[in-house]
Structure formats: C-alpha cells, structure tokens
Amino acid sequence: MINKPKLLTVFDILTALTLLGALALILFWTPVEITMGPVQKVFYFHVSAAWAGMLAFVAAGAAGAGYLITRKLHWDWVSLSAVEVGLVFGLIAILSGMIWAQPIWNTWWVWEPRLTTTAIMELIYLAYFILRSSLETPEKRARLSAVFAIISVITVPLTFFSIRLFRTIHPVVIAPGGGDSAFSMTPCMLRAFLISLGVFTILLVDLFWHRYRLAKLNYKNQTGEN
Amino acid sequence: MPANTLTDMILGFSVIIGILFLYILSLTLRFKQEKRKASLKNRRNIA
C-alpha cells in the first residue's frame, strides 16, 4: 500500500504529458477568438475543470450510496477523495471564470444563476469536510458523510442546467440547435475543447487515485490496522 | 480586431497550473507524513 504502484507512476507521466500537450495545443494551435482575444483560450480549461469537478461530485454521491449499501469503509475513502478533488476542480473553474469575466463582463463576479449555483455547490461540499471533522468514530463519520454526499449531488444538475433554466449572461457551450447565447466554435476549437475535456478527466482519475491512497493510509494509521 | 487580453490569458493559465501544483504538493506532503507515521508504528511494533 505504502509503495507507489508502477501503474500509477505510468499514469502520472501520461497525465502530465497529456496536460502539457493540451496546453500547447490551446496556446499555439487554436485560433484567437475575434472579439474576446487571447483570454478566450482560458475557456478550454475552465469548462473542463467544471466538468471534472461535477463528475467527481457525482462519483462521491455514488460512493456514498455504495457505503450505505455495503457498509464497507473503502467506499467512504472513495467519497472523501472524490469530494476533495472535486473541490479543487471547482475552485479552478470559479477562479479561471472570474479571470475571464473581468475583461469580458468588466467585473470579476456577477450574481447570475450559473455563478451563484456554482458557489453554492462549492460551499456545500466544503461543509462536507466540516461535518467529517466533527465526527469521531469512522463508521458514524462514513454513514453521515455518505448521506451528505448523496443529498449534495442535487447541486450538480442544478448548476449544470441553471443556464438553461434561468435568464443568464453566462455563455452556453453545449446548446442543441444553437441558442442565442450559444458559444459558436470552429471545428478546430471544438477539437481542442473535446481534447481538454478528456485530459481533465484523466487528471481527475490520477489525482483521485493519489487521494484515495492517502485516505487508506490515514485510516490504517489511525486504527492501527496493517 | 480582437481585444488585447493576453495578460488575462496568462493570469488565467497561471492560476490553473498554480492551483494544480499546490494541490499535488499538498498530496505529496500529506502522504509523506502518513508514511512516516506508518514506519514509526511498525518500528514500535517490532520493538
């Protein structure tokens, strides 16, 4: 357990290479958007980070359900790891979005539906750690955290669909038929976008794997199990 | 003509890479700490 598996080392290298490749692709291959200029390129990683964060939160909810059904603690480690990694990606999405918004909307933050629901989602998952730290026994902590992770999943579709359900100034990236607010991409942009989504999914799995190993080792140290 | 937002783009990517770097660093340090605890525990058990 303590020694790093060879497969994880290979996966680390693969993740680093694909991330660097995606960054180079975005910086040197994708065209500069005609109105927004170079800052639009942040969009590729911004949306990908939001996607990875939401995926992690859904996985945390599923792992919570896994724990409640099986009562096996490794599901709790999965849930904990997914929430922490999801929070990191959520933070990346929020901060990169703010940096994009400053020159485009002329403000760092607007209380519009997408930004508000994203902030709420992030705060709810932060509360997950407050809950965990207030519970002593591993079983009780795992049980209540699992319930919390399952209930919190509701914020994911709420955040995702907020720009479709409410009036908003946030661009809609994926709009069937292309709405008024749909962000139109050239084929080259679309390819870079899809590649970024894939790379961030790989990054999510890699970081999750590391966090899971940490959770497992932490548990063993606390309980004295070998 | 596109808006001159090159500085914002550099800031955006720096923040993204910076957060990822800090998180990886935090994971590495926490894992090392747990590893140290585990080896101390093992030594105590042997003694």
Side-chain angles (χ1 to χ4, degrees), chain A residues 9 22 42 45 47 62 67 72 79 85 113 121 125 154 161 163 213 217 224-225:
Chain A
T9 309
V42 170
F45 278 7
V47 180
Y67 176 78
K72 292 208 164 120
S79 193
V85 175
M121 180 175 73
Y125 281 100
I154 193 73
F161 290 110
I163 49 176
R213 290 179 71 230
L217 186 58
E225 244 179 58

Side-chain angles (χ1 to χ4, degrees), chain A residues 84-103:
Chain A
E84 188 179 293
V85 175
L87 272 174
V88 173
F89 282 114
L91 183 68
I92 289 174
I94 288 175
L95 291 182
S96 59
M98 285 169 73
I99 291 163
W100 171 85
Q102 213 288 322

Side-chain angles (χ1 to χ4, degrees), chain A residues 2 23 27 33-39 41 45 84 88 95 99 103 211 213-214 217-218 220-221 225, chain B residues 1-3 5-6 8-9 11-13 15-16 19-20 23-24 27 30-31 34-35 37-38 41-42:
Chain A
I2 293 179
L23 187 63
L27 293 178
E33 207 271 340
I34 202 135
T35 337
M36 294 183 256
V39 77
K41 288 175 186 261
F45 278 7
E84 188 179 293
V88 173
L95 291 182
I99 291 163
R211 185 60 186 88
R213 290 179 71 230
L214 176 65
L217 186 58
N218 177 262
K220 287 187 172 176
N221 279 340
E225 244 179 58
Chain B
M1 181 151 166
T5 52
L6 186 67
D8 302 284
M9 183 196 80
L11 178 66
F13 282 113
V15 166
I16 294 168
I19 292 172
L20 283 175
Y23 184 62
I24 292 166
L27 277 177
R30 283 185 288 167
F31 198 84
E34 291 297 334
K35 231 171 145 177
K37 275 186 203 167
K41 198 181 73 186
N42 281 345

Side-chain angles (χ1 to χ4, degrees), chain A residues 23-34:
Chain A
L23 187 63
L25 194 77
I26 290 163
L27 293 178
F28 307 116
W29 188 61
T30 57
V32 174
E33 207 271 340
I34 202 135

Side-chain angles (χ1 to χ4, degrees), chain A residues 63-77:
Chain A
Y67 176 78
L68 292 181
I69 295 164
T70 63
R71 301 282 161 164
K72 292 208 164 120
L73 270 174
H74 65 84
W75 285 114
D76 181 51
W77 307 332

Side-chain angles (χ1 to χ4, degrees), chain A residues 57 83-84 86-87 94 116-132 144-145 147-156 158-159:
Chain A
F57 292 147
V83 169
E84 188 179 293
L87 272 174
I94 288 175
T116 308
T117 49
T118 307
I120 291 170
M121 180 175 73
E122 199 76 350
L123 289 172
I124 284 177
Y125 281 100
L126 265 179
Y128 174 88
F129 287 95
I130 299 170
L131 173 75
R132 286 188 76 90
L144 292 179
S145 302
V147 174
F148 191 97
I150 293 166
I151 295 170
S152 305
V153 166
I154 193 73
T155 60
V156 175
L158 187 70
T159 304

